[in-house]
Amino acid sequence: MIKKAVLLRRVSTSMQEKEGCSLQNQQEVLKQYCERMGLEIIKDAELVESSTRGERKNFMKILNFCKKQRGGVALVCLKIDRLMRNLKDYPKLDEMRKEGQIELHLVQENLILHKNSKAGDLTILGLNVVMAQNYALVLRDNVVSGMNYQAEHGFCMYRAPLGYLNIRKTDGKADVIVDTDRAPLIQKLFKQYSTGLYSLKDMAKQCKEWGLTSKYNGKPLNTSAVHRILNNKFYIGEMVYKEDLFKHQYETLISPALFQMCQDIMHGRKPEEKTHFKTTEEPFIFQGLVRCGKCGCLMSSYKKVKTNEYVYIKCSHFKECDNPQLSEKKALKPIEDKLKKLYIKEEIFTYIKKDLEKLINKQNEAHNREVKAVRKKYDTCQDKIKRLRSLLLEGHLTPEEYRDMNEDLKKEQYELEGKSALLTEADENFSIAISTIMSMAANAYQIFKSSRVETKRAILNILLSNLKITDKKISYTLRKPFDLINSLNKKIPSKTEGIAFGDPNGIRTRVAALRGPRPRPLDDGTYLKQITHNINKNILQAFSRSN
């Protein structure tokens, strides 16, 4: 007869502690049982693990301990679900029972099972195992259903990404709030990357300079972390749960348009359009901007130290391409000469300013109309939601009908909120774009010379396109509207000769001679107005391109 006992106590949730199944309560009951049965306790095993997930390593250690005891031991549990809740563990225990290595003592079920147990007792054990597994499966289904419901209603079911914080409210419910320290840096990360001037490696370095670190270990972000952030739709109001997208109810950090711009930059290149240069530790002015005029590959920059330090630009296929390298200083010379001439004369600027004010007013009126229309639609949805609640209380709608109709209206509201945020950001970008373009047109050279390398790259990207180097000569195309501004400054006539302006149709037209202390056209200024209007139209197009 077996006289040695191993106690097995287990809990898997804090709820079981409150329901009277705590480890301490189990210990008291099992000790009293062993005293009544005359069993000597040789081991008291305490498990805090799920019986349905994982390999149950601690449980297997207890079984191995029982196998090593000569003459067998009594494995004493409060009830069957403290021992197992699945059928995969049953064959192991049953095999040990048949060999006489263990006796199963289930206290609350008043059941003792040994190698000579009758069919009735074994049947009861089998039924109890099935019922325990059924309980676990039903519990799992309820948890999954609850989590699906929470996700469908916009609640985050996992750790929120960088820029947000998971918290517990005073009522104990989980919530997600904006991390006021990191959220502005996340927004800055998206905006910088959307310029198209920086690689993921560049952005990881920028994040380190800004002090943007992981909220879990405080370490700087690596390239993979930056890639995950730029691809995470949580920042635009969508979350992934079980591979499905759901609208969440928390504050968004960026607009869908900005997110899409970053996606286009990240994934927009075709497979055959690979970049043939490596990101360097130190940025260069022409990095990623200029192509070889002979083979079409991107050209890379490198430093060469002699008595002084020089920067050279060479084709990334220099072993196969015969295009000679060019010093950065010589490549910048014709561009800087062009920037010196890129300015708007005072008389032209007066026309541009007046015409631009009219265009801006029209733009503002259109923007205000769109904002009012979105606001009206949003308020209409809110009125419908209030009406639905009244119909539900009055019994005219079933809960299912109310839920479906309410979800549709909420979805429409989310879309309208996104559109409103997009309009607000577009208005801000409009102001920034006009200010930038006008500043560049007024004193591009001074701004360029006084800027850092990263800013110089951004300026070149704004002003120039199709940058190429062929046989130590650099060529480029001025972007609109700077090409029109440049065309106005090609000829500087005397007061008696008059001013020649290129009209939008490409026909050279002479405006009457300028007279008086402050030159002014004798005619009605029609051609000048056409030109300035065309410039302003291109300013707005440049804004649209940047936005």
Side-chain angles (χ1 to χ4, degrees), residues 42 69 73 195 200 225 360:
I42 61 172
Q69 308 306 311
V73 293
T195 62
L200 292 175
I360 290 173

mmCIF file of all heavy atoms in Angstrom, residues 42 69 73 195 200 225 360:
data_model
loop_
_atom_site.group_PDB
_atom_site.id
_atom_site.type_symbol
_atom_site.label_atom_id
_atom_site.label_comp_id
_atom_site.label_asym_id
_atom_site.label_seq_id
_atom_site.Cartn_x
_atom_site.Cartn_y
_atom_site.Cartn_z
ATOM 1 N N ILE A 42 5.999 13.912 0.852
ATOM 2 C CA ILE A 42 7.439 13.994 0.521
ATOM 3 C C ILE A 42 7.747 15.173 -0.412
ATOM 4 O O ILE A 42 8.908 15.535 -0.586
ATOM 5 C CB ILE A 42 7.933 12.681 -0.118
ATOM 6 C CG1 ILE A 42 7.185 12.401 -1.431
ATOM 7 C CG2 ILE A 42 7.766 11.513 0.865
ATOM 8 C CD1 ILE A 42 7.759 11.234 -2.217
ATOM 9 N N GLN A 69 10.373 7.465 -7.617
ATOM 10 C CA GLN A 69 10.087 6.972 -6.268
ATOM 11 C C GLN A 69 9.784 5.480 -6.309
ATOM 12 O O GLN A 69 8.916 5.037 -7.053
ATOM 13 C CB GLN A 69 8.910 7.751 -5.660
ATOM 14 C CG GLN A 69 9.056 9.257 -5.695
ATOM 15 C CD GLN A 69 10.357 9.737 -5.071
ATOM 16 O OE1 GLN A 69 10.718 9.330 -3.956
ATOM 17 N NE2 GLN A 69 11.080 10.590 -5.816
ATOM 18 N N VAL A 73 3.943 6.536 -5.612
ATOM 19 C CA VAL A 73 3.506 7.628 -4.730
ATOM 20 C C VAL A 73 2.053 7.976 -5.048
ATOM 21 O O VAL A 73 1.534 7.651 -6.133
ATOM 22 C CB VAL A 73 4.372 8.888 -4.925
ATOM 23 C CG1 VAL A 73 5.786 8.662 -4.457
ATOM 24 C CG2 VAL A 73 4.337 9.349 -6.378
ATOM 25 N N THR A 195 10.048 63.643 -47.243
ATOM 26 C CA THR A 195 10.734 64.512 -48.207
ATOM 27 C C THR A 195 11.442 63.697 -49.285
ATOM 28 O O THR A 195 11.771 64.219 -50.349
ATOM 29 C CB THR A 195 11.775 65.388 -47.497
ATOM 30 O OG1 THR A 195 12.778 64.552 -46.890
ATOM 31 C CG2 THR A 195 11.117 66.261 -46.436
ATOM 32 N N LEU A 200 16.276 54.867 -44.556
ATOM 33 C CA LEU A 200 15.900 54.377 -43.233
ATOM 34 C C LEU A 200 17.081 54.485 -42.271
ATOM 35 O O LEU A 200 16.898 54.801 -41.083
ATOM 36 C CB LEU A 200 15.419 52.926 -43.327
ATOM 37 C CG LEU A 200 14.102 52.698 -44.065
ATOM 38 C CD1 LEU A 200 13.825 51.204 -44.185
ATOM 39 C CD2 LEU A 200 12.939 53.376 -43.357
ATOM 40 N N ALA A 225 13.399 49.044 -36.488
ATOM 41 C CA ALA A 225 12.374 49.716 -35.682
ATOM 42 C C ALA A 225 11.775 50.897 -36.440
ATOM 43 O O ALA A 225 10.565 51.116 -36.411
ATOM 44 C CB ALA A 225 12.972 50.177 -34.355
ATOM 45 N N ILE A 360 -4.713 83.168 -53.384
ATOM 46 C CA ILE A 360 -4.785 82.649 -52.007
ATOM 47 C C ILE A 360 -6.195 82.806 -51.458
ATOM 48 O O ILE A 360 -6.725 81.923 -50.776
ATOM 49 C CB ILE A 360 -3.754 83.362 -51.110
ATOM 50 C CG1 ILE A 360 -2.338 82.934 -51.504
ATOM 51 C CG2 ILE A 360 -4.002 83.058 -49.639
ATOM 52 C CD1 ILE A 360 -1.243 83.692 -50.798
#
